[in-house]
């Protein structure tokens, strides 16, 4: 036996005994202590290994780096995480290889579960329109249950980027334009994914992304640079991230963009100073796909060595797919460019989460094929998806109460390229679960058949494609429309027209679909249009001429049933827009909480000297907070418990809301403020609270809000959070423009 062999045996014995001790003491030790003892055993290379995340071989959500020897690297302890690996069999396969590594450190598996796993929920922008925090949280619980049952520990969601530019394809993944609502929804989604406790078998790690300001990409072009003031960053773009931290989110993802010239993945101020120091974030930060290496193309580093140095020193703990950490971190540490303490901090963050998940006790904890089968076919999930889908549909127009339709119509014509589409209903970022076909998705046609197939005659014509100029199907569409009592038309985008790298400069309805509607309208029949899309589109002809419009977004697996429920009044629409719909592409960005300017755009006294367009109103076609119901609501009796307060007081606001129509319904009562005079200019109105209430026909309810100093605070001239004494206008509205009641109060010293 050589000395080398003897040494190796001794070392193995030492590791074995240490691991034994570790597991003996495991019960008593805190996670911090467990991490420390494990890190004492790790070589520098093994530590770096924990910071590498690789893609599995079968699905890619970014430019692929194919590693021929991935298994070998895992066995060598060079990989900490895998993404795009789905199913208990596949995750068990990679985990069993990780268990052959010297220290048996388990892998964590990550996946983009953006709006459901197998049971697909509406896209996040759609669910945000429900303003229903409990339902949103419950939907993410379902997603977490199915995801964890498939062996996956971590979802790359929620995306909490505020966005005010519908040209940007990723607008579909967020919660719209408002920081207050965005923050509430961010917290609800995090709680939904992570459940009561990380390590619970139905929970997955959430990931707040993309940190930060990704939603303000110049020109709405994905990945583009962002030029932003600190004020805008703090006031509008950071609040949902902060809310995610406060809700206990365990991971963050960096954004692809640079902010004012600094790529987020190498931005120490953002990742270290703000996130980890100021906000006290204890979890770990993963780069976006390849973003560490992409700094070379940004041009702030020369090569992969410098890219790795810049990212790890900034506080980016894990490298998704760029391989820069793998090839350079050890050397950088040896060269004194990266302090070992930075590596140790990153590794301990990753290991803590793995301990928390319980993977050291049982690396196959989430790999139970029986549970997988059960949860992927759980009928309760389907029911929840249907309910969430109904709550996400926005009624934009309903002239003469055309909707809801009665169930005894003799003939209904259902026309359009999306009527019989199946997979389209899932929208972008659905998870293609391996081995499962899409036959469980309920098409819109199927939904209508389920609802009234036995009561009415249903006629179908496609009419045209989503794109292209072919009008040869118009005649058939017009012919069946003539035979019908009512025509329902389903048009819109293709599902992959929004999403990552799907920015569009023209966001009108594609192809000849609007012409098809015009042709059908020519029959004089009552027409209801369903618009399917991942973003706000511009559709002025429809908005001005069609009597009834439902914006359905992409509703997921239960789309057909949910749409039928709304069309026939089994669900009274209650959703309200969380992003303004421009009247013209030239208006973008258009959002409700703008400043007045010195020459206010709405001031008609001098039309030549206003901050307005000469050819168009400044107002969007449909504003933030807008959405109709089959019933109507009256607001009355606004009362403030007092009209002045100090920083230690609270003002109670009450308002009575009455359902004056014939149907039971839900209303989202919105509270806005305008800080009339500030040391810096304040927006004309800002959402500060809301409540969604259910009212039976004829019923009244009192809604109360509490105003405290926190609600009046903002980042002052020196970027310090606080409230300034002075007068505030208080507005209660059914939307950001449909203000029903107003009052004023004062904050005094
Ligand atoms: C790139 C996307 O920007 C990000 O949101 C996603 O999580 C990763 N790819 C992984 O698929």
């Amino acid at each position: 036996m050589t000395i080398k062999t003897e040494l190796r045996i001794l070392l193995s014995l030492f590791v074995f005994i240490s691991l034994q001790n570790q597991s003996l003491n495991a019960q008593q030790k805190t996670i911090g202590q467990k991490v420390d003892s494990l890190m004492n055993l790790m070589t520098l290379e093994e530590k770096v290994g924990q910071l590498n995340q690789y893609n599995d071989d079968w699905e890619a959500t970014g430019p692929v780096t194919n590693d021929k020897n991935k298994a070998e690297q895992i066995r060598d302890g060079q990989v900490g995480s895998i993404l795009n690996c789905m199913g208990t069999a596949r995750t068990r396969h990679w985990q069993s290889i990780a268990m052959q590594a010297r220290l048996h450190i388990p892998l964590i598996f990550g996946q983009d579960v953006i709006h459901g796993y197998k049971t697909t929920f509406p896209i996040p922008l759609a669910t945000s329109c429900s303003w229903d925090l409990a339902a949103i949280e419950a939907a993410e619980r379902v997603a977490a249950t199915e995801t964890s049952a498939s062996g996956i520990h971590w979802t790359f969601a929620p995306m909490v980027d505020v966005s005010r530019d519908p040209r940007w394809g990723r607008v579909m993944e967020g919660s719209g334009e408002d920081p207050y609502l965005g923050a509430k929804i961010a917290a609800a989604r995090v709680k939904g994914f992570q459940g009561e406790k990380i390590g619970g078998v139905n929970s997955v790690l959430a990931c707040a992304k993309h940190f930060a300001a990704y939603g303000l990409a110049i020109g709405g072009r994905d990945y583009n640079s962002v030029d932003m003031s600190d004020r805008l960053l703090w006031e509008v773009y950071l609040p949902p991230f902060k809310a995610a931290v406060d809700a206990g989110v365990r991971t963050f993802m960096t954004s692809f963009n640079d902010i004012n010239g600094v790529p987020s993945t190498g931005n120490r101020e953002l990742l270290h100073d703000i996130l980890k120091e100021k906000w006290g974030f204890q979890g770990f930060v993963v780069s976006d796909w390849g973003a560490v290496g992409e700094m070379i193309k940004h041009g702030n580093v020369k090569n992969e060595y410098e890219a790795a140095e810049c990212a790890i020193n900034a506080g980016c703990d894990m490298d998704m797919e760029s391989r820069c950490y793998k090839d350079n971190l050890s050397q950088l540490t040896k060269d004194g460019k990266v302090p070992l303490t930075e590596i140790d901090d990153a590794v301990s963050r990753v290991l803590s989460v793995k301990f928390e998940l319980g993977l050291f006790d049982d690396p196959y904890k989430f790999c139970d094929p029986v549970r997988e089968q059960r949860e992927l076919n759980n009928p309760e999930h389907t029911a929840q998806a249907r309910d969430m889908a109904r709550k996400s549909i926005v009624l934009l127009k309903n002239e003469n109460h055309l909707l809801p339709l009665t169930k005894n119509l003799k003939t209904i014509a259902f026309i359009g390229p999306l009527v019989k589409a199946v997979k389209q209903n899932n929208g972008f970022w659905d998870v293609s679960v391996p081995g499962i076909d899409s036959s469980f998705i309920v098409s819109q046609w199927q939904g209508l058949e389920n609802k009234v197939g036995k009561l009415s005659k249903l006629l179908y014509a496609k009419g045209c494609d989503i794109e292209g100029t072919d009008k040869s199907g118009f005649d058939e569409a017009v012919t069946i429309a003539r035979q019908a009592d009512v025509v329902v038309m389903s048009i819109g985008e293709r599902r992959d027209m929004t999403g990552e790298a799907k920015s569009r400069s023209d966001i009108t309805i594609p192809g000849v679909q609007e012409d098809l509607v015009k042709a059908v309208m020519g029959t004089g029949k009552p027409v209801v249009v369903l618009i399917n899309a991942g973003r706000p589109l511009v559709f002025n002809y429809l908005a001005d001429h069609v009597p009834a419009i439902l914006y359905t977004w992409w509703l997921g697996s239960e789309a057909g049933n949910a749409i039928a429920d709304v069309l026939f009044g089994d669900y009274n629409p209650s959703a309200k827009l969380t992003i303004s719909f421009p009247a013209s592409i030239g208006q973008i960005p258009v959002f409700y909480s703008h400043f007045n300017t010195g020459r206010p755009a709405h001031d008609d006294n001098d039309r030549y000297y206003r901050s307005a367009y000469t050819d168009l109103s400044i107002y969007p076609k449909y504003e933030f907070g807008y959405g109709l119901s089959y019933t109507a609501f009256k607001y009355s009796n606004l009362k403030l418990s007092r009209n002045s307060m100090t920083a230690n007081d609270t003002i109670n606001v009450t308002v009575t809301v009455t359902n004056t129509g014939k149907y039971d319904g839900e209303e989202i009562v919105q509270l806005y403020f305008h800080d009339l005079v500030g040391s810096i200019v304040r927006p004309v109105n800002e959402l500060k609270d809301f409540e969604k209430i259910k009212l039976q026909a004829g019923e009244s309810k009192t809604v109360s809000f509490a105003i405290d100093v926190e609600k009046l605070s903002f980042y002052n001239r020196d970027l310090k959070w606080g409230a300034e004494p002075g007068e505030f206008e208080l507005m209660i509205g059914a939307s950001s423009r449909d203000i029903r009641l107003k009052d004023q109060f004062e904050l005094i010293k």
Side-chain angles (χ1 to χ4, degrees), residues 2 10 18-19 41 74 125 140 162 193 219 329 354 382 394 491 506 515 617 621 691 697 720:
T2 63
L10 269 175
S18 305
L19 286 173
L41 304 175
I74 295 174
L125 184 57
E140 305 305 18
V162 168
F193 284 130
L329 277 191
K354 290 185 176 182
T382 312
V394 188
I491 61 168
D506 178 359
D515 292 341
S617 143
K621 196 77 186 170
E691 195 168 326
K720 295 237 163 56

Side-chain angles (χ1 to χ4, degrees), residues 61 83 112 156 170 209-210 253 256 288-289 320 500:
T61 44
L83 77 147
D112 289 291
F156 304 130
R170 302 202 78 168
K209 71 186 190 186
H210 307 84
M253 187 185 289
F256 284 122
D288 203 339
W289 182 299
M320 182 192 288
E500 186 181 348

Side-chain angles (χ1 to χ4, degrees), residues 414 419-420 443-450 458-460 560:
F414 203 2
V419 170
K420 290 206 171 173
S443 73
Q444 299 175 18
W445 176 259
Q446 185 63 52
L448 205 69
E449 274 200 323
N450 294 346
L458 302 181
L459 304 174
Y460 165 72

Side-chain angles (χ1 to χ4, degrees), residues 458-703:
L458 302 181
L459 304 174
Y460 165 72
K462 185 175 174 198
C464 63
D465 288 327
I466 293 170
E467 288 179 286
T469 52
D470 185 3
K471 295 186 177 180
S472 58
F474 279 28
D475 284 349
E476 187 196 3
V478 169
T479 307
I480 66 155
R482 285 209 179 97
Q483 297 162 30
D485 303 310
V486 167
V487 184
V488 181
M489 302 190 67
S490 186
I491 61 168
E493 290 188 313
R494 241 191 9 251
R495 76 190 195 104
D496 57 358
M497 281 179 158
T498 41
E500 186 181 348
K502 301 290 181 285
S503 294
R504 285 175 65 204
S505 64
D506 178 359
I507 56 163
T508 54
I509 307 242
V512 291
Q513 296 179 91
E514 254 184 312
D515 292 341
L516 176 67
V517 179
K518 277 183 207 167
V520 170
M521 290 279 292
T523 62
K525 297 287 178 170
V527 175
V528 179
V529 170
L530 312 173
I531 303 180
N532 305 257
R535 54 156 64 85
L537 294 174
V538 174
F539 45 90
N540 289 320
Y541 171 80
L542 303 183
D544 297 341
H545 296 92
V546 171
I549 303 176
L550 288 165
Y551 214 79
T552 63
W553 309 102
W554 296 119
L555 294 172
S557 359
E558 283 295 303
N561 287 332
I563 288 172
D565 285 344
V566 168
L567 283 174
F568 293 93
D570 289 335
Y571 183 80
N572 183 355
S574 63
K576 300 214 181 211
L577 299 176
T578 55
I579 182 166
S580 304
F581 275 42
S584 143
I585 298 164
Q587 266 184 343
I588 299 170
V590 57
F591 51 93
Y592 82 94
S593 64
H594 56 82
F595 295 156
N596 242 343
T597 81
R599 296 182 174 190
H602 52 77
D603 192 344
D604 271 333
N605 290 338
D606 194 339
R607 57 191 301 263
Y608 295 106
Y609 299 99
R610 308 180 284 159
S611 56
Y613 300 107
T614 54
D615 59 345
L616 188 69
S617 143
I618 58 148
Y619 294 111
K621 196 77 186 170
Y622 301 108
E623 72 277 6
F624 175 85
Y626 174 85
L628 304 173
S629 161
Y630 294 150
T631 190
F633 300 99
K634 192 177 129 224
Y635 288 61
S636 62
N637 213 13
L638 173 63
K639 281 193 194 135
L640 274 63
S641 60
R642 56 211 292 173
N643 282 90
S644 67
M645 63 181 274
T646 68
N648 299 321
D649 298 329
T650 306
I651 297 181
N652 291 316
V653 179
T654 51
V655 60
T656 306
V657 183
T658 307
N659 180 346
T660 56
K662 284 195 296 213
Y663 301 92
D664 299 349
E666 289 159 275
E667 173 68 329
I668 301 165
V669 183
Q670 302 158 43
L671 170 76
Y672 295 91
F673 288 162
H674 180 195
D675 184 345
L676 294 174
V677 181
S679 59
I680 53 150
V681 175
R682 305 303 304 145
V684 291
N685 60 353
E686 290 178 281
L687 182 73
K688 289 294 173 180
D689 213 337
F690 64 90
E691 195 168 326
K692 186 167 186 175
I693 50 167
K694 260 192 192 149
L695 289 174
Q696 288 173 358
E699 194 189 359
S700 293
K701 264 187 193 162
T702 302
V703 177

